[in-house]
Amino acid sequence: MLGFISWTASLATFFILGILLFDMVSDGFRIMMSVDFFTNGPEKAGRAGGIAPILVSTMLVVGIAIAVSIPIGLATALLLSEFTRRDSQFAFFVRKSLDILAGVPSIVFGLFGNAFFCVYLGMGFSILSGGLTLACMVLPILIRTTEESFRAVPNEFRHGIAALGFTKTASVFHLLMPMAIPGLVVGTILGVGRATAETAALIFTSGYVDRMPESVLDSGRTLSVHIYDLAMNIPGGDRMAYATSLCLVLILLSMSFLTNIIAKSVLQRGIYTS
Amino acid sequence: MLKIKDSSLLQTDNFVSSILKIAASVSAVIVILILGFLIRETADVPSRIGITSFFFDKTWNPTESQFNLIPMLAGSLLSTLGAVMLAIPTGVVCAVFLHLYANDPLRFILRRTLEILGGIPSVVYGFWGLVVLVPMINMWYPPGAGLSAAVSVLTIMILPTASLMIDAAFQAIPRQAVAGVRALGLERWEILTLCLIPQARLGILTATLLSVGRAIGETMAVLMVCGNIVQFPSSIFDPIRTLTANIALELGYAEGNHRSALYVSGILLLFIIAVLIVVISIYERQHQRAKYDSK
Amino acid sequence: MNDNCTENVCVMNGDPIIVKDLSLRYHNRVAFKDVSINLSPCTVTALIGPSGCGKTSFLNCINRMTDFVDGCQVRGQIRVHGENILSKQTDVVKLRRKIGMIFQKPNPFPLSIDRNISMPLRYHGIKDAKQRQEIVEKSLNEVGLWDEVKDRLHTQATSLSGGQQQRLCIARAIALEPEILLMDEPCSALDPQSSATIESLIGAMRKKFTLIVVTHNLAQAKRVSDKTVIFWNYEGFGQIVEDGPTDQVFFKPSNKTAQAYIGGHLG
């Protein structure tokens, strides 16, 4: 009985993935392969044409989010793993903040981004507002993976290099950081993936203008917002929505694939440099 | 004798440490900013709208100054409840399959599949629900879009992550514990009920609470399939609207009191999440203490 | 080992390391209490005693590695060249440059053999690559590793055997020309042959550095050390029960416990 239920549940999992991908691939693949899908802008409100400006906007939004969150994330992770004791009050405070940030629903980030970046700081609906909102959102996941990759470095190296008269700062740059790099790369890819998949936080921060953005202060529509708009607001936009979904899922899949490769190969080899 | 740099190196560490502290404060600042701006947008709500309106007005109709959030809160809670009640038992079954039935290659493939499913953006799940599930339900119980579709899509969406979390909880059980039960020659069913589930209790509970958080905060997938009519559903096929979907639908054109009311619903959501976080941390602390005591 | 060692004179200038009323506790457990002793310069001092008597904790105080342990409190004084190294003003980074340490488990960095030694040198201000190479060769020679690895200086250090790794760690420490070298059971993770190599290395280094070696192994202490200190766990915390020249400690111990321990009846 238990066996039967288990087998069914697992097959159902494959089945769901199967039909999810089948619909997307069968309807979306041909459009995605057409010449102008990646080079043209949307026409007839997205029913025809391509997604070039949307790809550019996505890259800009995600790029800003990552560029802003990486330095902050790296610094926070370094502080938590190398520069504070485990029982430090400050670290406790930061960790609690991160727990809260990780739990905030994305639409609430949207509300916040709209009120703070768009209205209060006067950035309006823009790629910059969207990117900054996403930066706040990916910070917890980035910090968690980065801190874990620093913690994965055994203490014997920390003690060994300290006994040679290195400052903590120097030991981070000369030894710990190079050893933690594979983990940092994996964390970054996870952050990029999370940012690329996000929709709700962006609708009211980066907006949904589907023209090619001329600067980061222009509004720009990301892939996921494009899918939402085509599916909900554009009758007959389904085929293009399938193609865009396929494109988005392929991007995310290749990122997770990349993460696995890095995690497997480089992580185990250590940091050999001559 | 070697020549060494003779500058006071310790000051470097103190300097770097204070820089890092400033950067690390950013996370706390963001939390404060989020709270601050949600409150700022709603500061004059008590005087202009009044707190009670959100619970006792006739309905939600901001243009007519009707601000009752309860139907949408009910929508959020019902869809979440349904999805978690379906996804957690199924997740346990999937994890059991991984542990007691699947052979190594199958287990590997299944885990990877679950990881992939967990990484698919919610807007894609929503879109898929809109074009596949809703028409399907529509054939039997029109209009199709409603509580049942929302529950189905949410279930499918949270199932992979929930299964993987429960699977991780099973994996964390000490090998000797499982081997000991196996050595008694028990059936799989007994291994499951006597060993796996009791030992992984905290893990399953955490997975449940995290799933609740994800389901209640989910916007896109629900928004695209729930029908978006503000009402208490009288059957599971009735259209509903959730708090999150409401924000996504109306923030674009909301002004004045209407906009403030949407921010109030944001605070409500945040409050629910905060309660969940507190509950999880209490459980984890209790668990750690129990572990410490038994040693 | 080879004559590179003997041509150098000890850099300690005859100042002993003065330890006065040193106590150490982890949270609420006392590791050792009120330890006072003078450790002679340019000699090999062995710290022996049963496990849990605080000898490794004592060693960790001398180069302030105790700073890395959460909840570890150190009281008292350790004076090196008259300066109390436990005071807050001490530059621990400079201190550790002068007081090297060898750990129980060999811990070469996951870098090439060459970089394991040259990276710290570069950090400590030897900018000239040629000079760094000379020091690398000299220190590898001192630990007798040069001939074994000179053809593969650029391979991973972790590919060496356990004994070779430990010698590399010693080379890495002495390349910085410390005054004092602390060794925390340097042979306990090694096979007998590698242990013997390390022991003879300790013998060769005794003229140049002040060596303080923690060991479990009484025979080893007898073989390599000039002076011996016995730690013992009394009333729940460690203290020194016997110290003096090794011959005297081993053949004419004054303390009853020490007698029993040396004689193999206790510990």
Side-chain angles (χ1 to χ4, degrees):
Chain A
M1 181 61 188
L2 183 62
F4 175 72
I5 298 174
S6 303
W7 275 103
T8 326
S10 311
L11 285 178
T13 313
F14 286 117
F15 183 67
I16 289 167
L17 182 73
I19 47 176
L20 245 174
L21 290 181
F22 177 78
D23 280 340
M24 248 189 300
V25 173
S26 62
D27 288 359
F29 191 68
R30 211 151 26 91
I31 301 178
M32 210 180 99
M33 281 298 105
S34 68
V35 192
D36 40 6
F37 186 69
F38 290 108
T39 52
N40 284 15
E43 289 154 28
K44 296 182 197 158
R47 288 184 197 90
I51 55 164
I54 286 142
L55 277 174
V56 172
S57 300
T58 309
M59 277 188 260
L60 285 174
V61 170
V62 173
I64 289 174
I66 290 301
V68 172
S69 56
I70 278 191
I72 299 173
L74 187 61
T76 310
L78 268 177
L79 184 89
L80 291 179
S81 68
E82 306 299 327
F83 283 84
T84 50
R85 284 165 181 256
R86 270 184 183 259
D87 50 5
S88 132
Q89 281 282 316
F90 183 77
F92 176 81
F93 194 57
V94 172
R95 267 178 232 279
K96 277 288 159 237
S97 309
L98 290 171
D99 283 350
I100 297 171
L101 272 191
V104 172
S106 53
I107 189 75
V108 177
F109 273 106
L111 284 175
F112 160 70
N114 184 276
F116 183 58
F117 296 117
C118 301
V119 178
Y120 185 74
L121 296 183
M123 295 175 190
F125 282 89
S126 67
I127 288 174
L128 189 60
S129 311
L132 292 175
T133 309
L134 280 193
C136 303
M137 221 179 128
V138 296
L139 210 48
I141 189 174
L142 215 57
I143 292 172
R144 200 164 298 160
T145 44
T146 311
E147 192 194 342
E148 268 166 26
S149 53
F150 277 112
R151 288 213 185 278
V153 177
N155 266 336
E156 52 184 270
F157 295 125
R158 239 167 238 126
H159 296 168
I161 197 160
L164 291 168
F166 278 60
T167 57
K168 268 187 184 154
T169 316
S171 67
V172 165
F173 283 110
H174 286 88
L175 190 69
L176 303 179
M177 190 98 91
M179 284 184 79
I181 270 182
L184 304 189
V185 174
V186 170
T188 309
I189 300 177
L190 283 176
V192 171
R194 175 91 195 269
T196 315
E198 186 46 43
T199 318
L202 289 176
I203 302 178
F204 301 113
T205 52
S206 70
Y208 26 86
V209 171
D210 61 3
R211 282 190 304 274
M212 184 64 87
E214 279 161 19
S215 81
V216 290
L217 289 172
D218 279 357
S219 168
R221 184 191 282 198
T222 64
L223 284 170
S224 46
V225 175
H226 191 52
I227 297 169
Y228 164 66
D229 196 55
L230 286 175
M232 289 293 280
N233 305 331
I234 314 291
D238 284 8
R239 277 160 28 100
M240 288 306 276
Y242 269 124
T244 315
S245 302
L246 183 63
C247 181
L248 178 58
V249 169
L250 283 180
I251 291 174
L252 292 172
L253 277 188
S254 46
M255 274 189 230
S256 107
F257 186 64
L258 205 65
T259 316
N260 270 287
I261 290 186
I262 294 170
K264 276 220 182 71
S265 63
V266 196
L267 212 60
Q268 285 157 4
R269 223 188 311 142
I271 48 151
Y272 165 58
T273 38
S274 59
Chain B
M1 185 66 192
L2 290 173
K3 275 186 195 143
I4 5 160
K5 287 186 286 186
D6 215 32
S7 55
S8 176
L9 292 165
L10 262 190
Q11 278 170 6
T12 335
D13 275 355
N14 292 336
F15 177 69
V16 170
S17 177
S18 40
I19 299 260
L20 294 183
K21 264 192 183 154
I22 295 170
S25 322
V26 170
S27 317
V29 171
I30 294 173
V31 172
I32 294 166
L33 278 178
I34 290 177
L35 284 176
F37 271 83
L38 290 187
I39 290 168
R40 189 182 122 107
E41 293 285 330
T42 56
D44 49 355
V45 161
S47 58
R48 274 191 295 135
I49 307 176
I51 308 268
T52 46
S53 322
F54 296 108
F55 304 102
F56 300 114
D57 276 2
K58 275 197 213 87
T59 176
W60 169 266
N61 193 345
T63 44
E64 311 265 306
S65 290
Q66 299 287 313
F67 296 107
N68 193 348
L69 292 175
I70 298 295
M72 290 177 289
L73 181 63
S76 282
L77 293 178
L78 282 174
S79 54
T80 301
L81 188 73
V84 173
M85 271 171 42
L86 284 176
I88 293 299
T90 322
V92 172
V93 169
C94 277
V96 167
F97 178 77
L98 281 172
H99 261 257
L100 299 180
Y101 292 89
N103 55 4
D104 283 347
L106 185 59
R107 187 179 301 142
F108 175 78
I109 296 171
L110 197 59
R111 275 200 191 125
R112 290 291 297 131
T113 314
L114 288 172
E115 277 168 27
I116 292 170
L117 280 172
I120 289 178
S122 58
V123 70
V124 174
Y125 278 113
F127 171 57
W128 177 76
L130 182 69
V131 293
V132 178
L133 270 183
V134 171
M136 221 144 71
I137 300 172
N138 185 39
M139 286 195 289
W140 298 297
Y141 301 99
L147 180 56
S148 56
V151 168
S152 316
V153 169
L154 274 180
T155 307
I156 292 170
M157 208 190 91
I158 60 180
L159 179 60
T161 327
S163 312
L164 286 172
M165 276 193 279
I166 298 169
D167 176 45
F170 282 167
Q171 275 181 310
I173 299 173
R175 270 165 193 281
Q176 307 97 297
V178 186
V181 181
R182 268 176 202 263
L184 294 173
L186 297 179
E187 297 286 320
R188 279 164 169 154
W189 174 253
E190 289 160 319
I191 297 177
L192 177 68
T193 50
L194 291 177
C195 175
L196 289 182
I197 293 204
Q199 293 262 0
R201 210 178 50 232
L202 180 85
I204 296 174
L205 200 77
T206 314
T208 312
L209 292 173
L210 288 176
S211 302
V212 170
R214 253 190 93 193
I216 222 159
E218 179 49 44
T219 311
M220 302 320 290
V222 179
L223 167 63
M224 293 165 89
V225 299
C226 70
N228 291 321
I229 293 173
V230 184
Q231 62 173 3
F232 279 105
S234 48
S235 88
I236 57 161
F237 300 103
D238 276 359
I240 53 155
R241 184 186 285 193
T242 63
L243 285 172
T244 50
N246 186 45
I247 299 173
L249 284 167
E250 300 190 353
L251 186 64
Y253 61 87
E255 270 167 16
N257 283 356
H258 184 187
R259 187 175 155 94
S260 304
L262 293 178
Y263 276 85
V264 169
S265 60
I267 292 180
L268 191 59
L269 276 170
L270 212 52
F271 177 73
I272 299 173
I273 298 292
V275 170
L276 277 173
I277 291 177
V278 170
V279 171
I280 292 178
S281 62
I282 287 175
Y283 269 110
E284 275 176 352
R285 202 169 303 154
Q286 269 180 357
H287 184 76
Q288 268 167 5
R289 199 172 300 150
K291 228 177 173 178
Y292 189 77
D293 288 344
S294 67
K295 266 179 190 166
Chain C
M1 181 120 278
N2 88 36
D3 12 48
N4 270 338
C5 292
T6 44
E7 74 194 22
N8 286 292
V9 280
C10 182
V11 284
M12 277 292 280
N13 306 332
D15 285 348
I17 305 169
I18 303 161
V19 180
K20 219 169 135 193
D21 299 329
L22 190 70
S23 307
L24 183 147
R25 55 196 299 163
Y26 300 109
H27 295 292
N28 40 25
R29 196 179 68 81
V30 179
F32 57 81
K33 205 166 163 183
D34 297 332
V35 169
S36 298
I37 191 171
N38 287 3
L39 298 164
S40 329
C42 314
T43 40
V44 181
T45 307
L47 306 182
I48 58 174
S51 41
C53 63
K55 46 192 195 311
T56 296
S57 304
F58 177 80
L59 196 73
N60 283 333
C61 291
I62 303 175
N63 68 344
R64 293 273 295 268
M65 291 305 279
T66 42
D67 293 6
F68 283 91
V69 186
D70 283 356
C72 176
Q73 293 175 325
V74 186
R75 293 251 165 73
Q77 291 187 355
I78 299 178
R79 296 192 171 274
V80 179
H81 296 310
E83 187 195 349
N84 181 14
I85 60 159
L86 295 181
S87 86
K88 278 209 173 111
Q89 285 82 35
T90 308
D91 188 334
V92 283
V93 172
K94 249 195 251 173
L95 177 82
R96 292 190 187 125
R97 230 282 294 156
K98 284 189 290 186
I99 307 183
M101 188 168 208
I102 307 299
F103 296 83
Q104 194 169 353
K105 200 176 145 222
N107 59 351
F109 304 136
L111 305 165
S112 69
I113 297 170
D114 173 74
R115 284 251 296 164
N116 257 284
I117 302 176
S118 58
M119 188 263 280
L121 285 172
R122 193 193 164 95
Y123 172 65
H124 285 298
I126 316 280
K127 298 285 179 217
D128 177 28
K130 225 181 114 199
Q131 196 190 350
R132 280 205 301 273
Q133 279 320 302
E134 282 165 11
I135 301 175
V136 168
E137 184 178 341
K138 183 167 152 255
S139 9
L140 284 174
N141 251 322
E142 283 189 45
V143 298
L145 205 57
W146 176 252
D147 291 327
E148 292 168 48
V149 301
K150 67 180 175 207
D151 302 322
R152 47 180 178 133
L153 283 176
H154 296 284
T155 54
Q156 266 279 44
T158 41
S159 67
L160 296 171
S161 74
Q164 287 174 321
Q165 288 188 9
Q166 192 65 301
R167 278 187 282 158
L168 176 64
C169 293
I170 297 176
R172 187 173 72 185
I174 62 178
L176 298 177
E177 297 184 2
E179 299 175 6
I180 304 166
L181 202 54
L182 310 173
M183 298 183 139
D184 184 7
E185 303 189 26
C187 303
S188 65
L190 305 180
D191 60 281
Q193 215 172 359
S194 307
S195 300
T197 321
I198 304 276
E199 273 183 29
S200 59
L201 190 56
I202 292 173
M205 293 192 298
R206 62 154 45 98
K207 297 240 168 52
K208 198 174 167 193
F209 307 106
T210 300
L211 285 155
I212 303 172
V213 185
V214 166
T215 175
H216 266 324
N217 184 334
L218 291 180
Q220 185 179 57
K222 205 153 106 187
R223 280 195 298 271
V224 301
S225 69
D226 307 312
K227 300 221 169 149
T228 300
V229 180
I230 302 181
F231 275 75
W232 199 264
N233 200 330
Y234 269 136
E235 295 152 10
F237 51 84
Q239 41 193 290
I240 292 177
V241 294
E242 181 85 36
D243 73 280
T246 300
D247 288 345
Q248 189 194 320
V249 169
F250 274 87
F251 296 109
K252 280 178 278 172
S254 55
N255 180 290
K256 283 246 164 64
T257 318
Q259 275 170 11
Y261 181 57
I262 299 292
H265 308 300
L266 257 182

